[in-house]
Amino acid sequence: MFSRTARIYDAVYAWKDYEREAALLHELVQARKPGAATLLDVACGTGVHLAELSRWCRCEGLDLDPNLLAVGRERLPDVPLHEGDMRGFDLGRRFDAVTCLFSSIGYVLTVEALEAAVGAMARHLEPGGVLVVEPWLSPEAVVTPHVGAVFVDEPELKIARVNTIEVDGRTSSFDFHYLVGTPEGVEHFVEHHELGLFTHEEHLAAFRAAGLEVEHDEEGLMGRGLYIGVAAQPSAVNPT
Ligand SMILES: C[S@@+](CC[C@H](N)C(=O)[O-])C[C@H]1O[C@@H](n2cnc3c(N)ncnc32)[C@H](O)[C@@H]1O
């Protein structure tokens, strides 16, 4: 998926305020599970949120893409980063918080896979633990036709990434056209990405099916909203 772009991922997303987002995440997790000290970031990519969150928590990450994980391991040699698929993974341990950010959930494409992914994430929560999922666009929110562009202008790295969006039923797809220049030369290539468009109700249903109490924050970290689920506490033991 990111095989051609893992090494330039951080430059392309340098505009994103990971530090501010991590501080907001830390606050919202602590408000729901005071003292939360462990966190798993699912679809962690190159680990930039983890680098920030590690100030407060013992962190781990999981991602499908070995190329992005390789960049993440260079950034965070002491943070365990697992290669795995969010639609079905078992790390054999639980965390106070699990996050899945920057619309990564859209990559699972189908409602069945959304439920499987939220279920797998929920099974990694401690009692009272917090699951935070930052969604991709809903079918009503996606606007076509659309053209997007990102430009990078570093001394030895120039990038223009230009794309349109196609929508076919519940799938949005992008052909990202990259023009990447370094002192060694200029390359052009196209990277294809597909993300599912899930409704508000489908997100809520996936959280409830996973046994979580769910709330929706419309603004979230960067205007895409957040689904926040809390796992049940064990029921109080009745002294007899
Ligand atoms: C837009 S990037 C976000 C990366 C990172 N969370 C960030 O905020 O920079 C989407 C990420 O989802 C990951 N991904 C896509 N499908 C996945 C799956 N089925 N299981 C785990 N990770 C997946 C990609 O490899 C990529 O790292």
Side-chain angles (χ1 to χ4, degrees):
M1 206 181 325
F2 292 86
S3 52
R4 298 285 298 268
T5 54
R7 290 277 152 198
I8 55 172
Y9 183 94
D10 292 337
V12 170
Y13 292 108
W15 52 267
K16 201 167 149 57
D17 193 346
Y18 284 94
E19 187 180 351
R20 176 182 162 273
E21 293 186 5
L24 289 170
L25 285 164
H26 174 64
E27 263 174 44
L28 76 82
V29 168
Q30 291 296 322
R32 290 160 182 82
K33 187 162 175 64
T38 57
L39 180 143
L40 172 68
D41 187 25
V42 171
C44 62
T46 61
V48 190
H49 282 116
L50 287 173
E52 300 291 341
L53 291 162
S54 294
R55 283 189 275 150
W56 301 291
C57 289
R58 283 192 309 285
C59 291
E60 300 194 20
L62 176 127
D63 201 279
L64 192 58
D65 192 316
N67 302 296
L68 292 174
L69 285 172
V71 177
R73 289 186 181 118
E74 285 166 21
R75 167 174 282 121
L76 302 166
D78 299 328
V79 174
L81 299 181
H82 311 275
E83 187 174 330
D85 188 329
M86 68 170 114
R87 293 167 291 188
F89 64 97
D90 181 3
L91 298 180
R93 58 194 166 282
R94 292 169 184 267
F95 300 83
D96 294 326
V98 176
T99 54
C100 183
L101 305 171
F102 202 15
S103 305
S104 305
I105 193 72
Y107 282 92
V108 304
L109 287 174
T110 65
V111 174
E112 293 70 32
L114 168 69
E115 286 179 1
V118 171
M121 291 188 249
R123 284 194 294 280
H124 285 76
L125 287 176
E126 293 284 5
V130 184
L131 172 61
V132 184
V133 174
E134 183 176 29
W136 175 229
L137 299 176
S138 63
E140 336 43 272
V142 67
V143 175
T144 55
H146 168 83
V147 64
V150 175
F151 303 102
V152 174
D153 187 6
E154 295 178 10
E156 300 210 335
L157 178 65
K158 312 291 178 192
I159 301 173
R161 190 195 76 175
V162 180
N163 68 280
T164 55
I165 304 182
E166 303 291 321
V167 173
D168 180 10
R170 290 296 209 86
T171 304
S172 57
S173 61
F174 306 78
D175 279 328
F176 288 111
H177 290 256
Y178 280 90
L179 199 56
V180 181
T182 66
E184 282 67 52
V186 181
E187 285 186 283
H188 172 251
F189 55 88
V190 180
E191 201 175 64
H192 184 74
H193 287 239
E194 294 189 352
L195 284 89
L197 302 165
F198 305 128
T199 66
H200 179 58
E201 290 69 30
E202 286 164 349
H203 285 103
L204 295 177
F207 272 66
R208 290 183 182 131
L212 304 176
E213 285 278 340
V214 58
E215 62 189 287
H216 180 233
D217 166 358
E218 243 179 73
E219 178 58 26
L221 305 177
M222 51 176 291
R224 295 186 184 180
L226 282 182
Y227 291 93
I228 305 165
V230 178
Q233 294 282 1
S235 46
V237 179
N238 202 5
T240 48

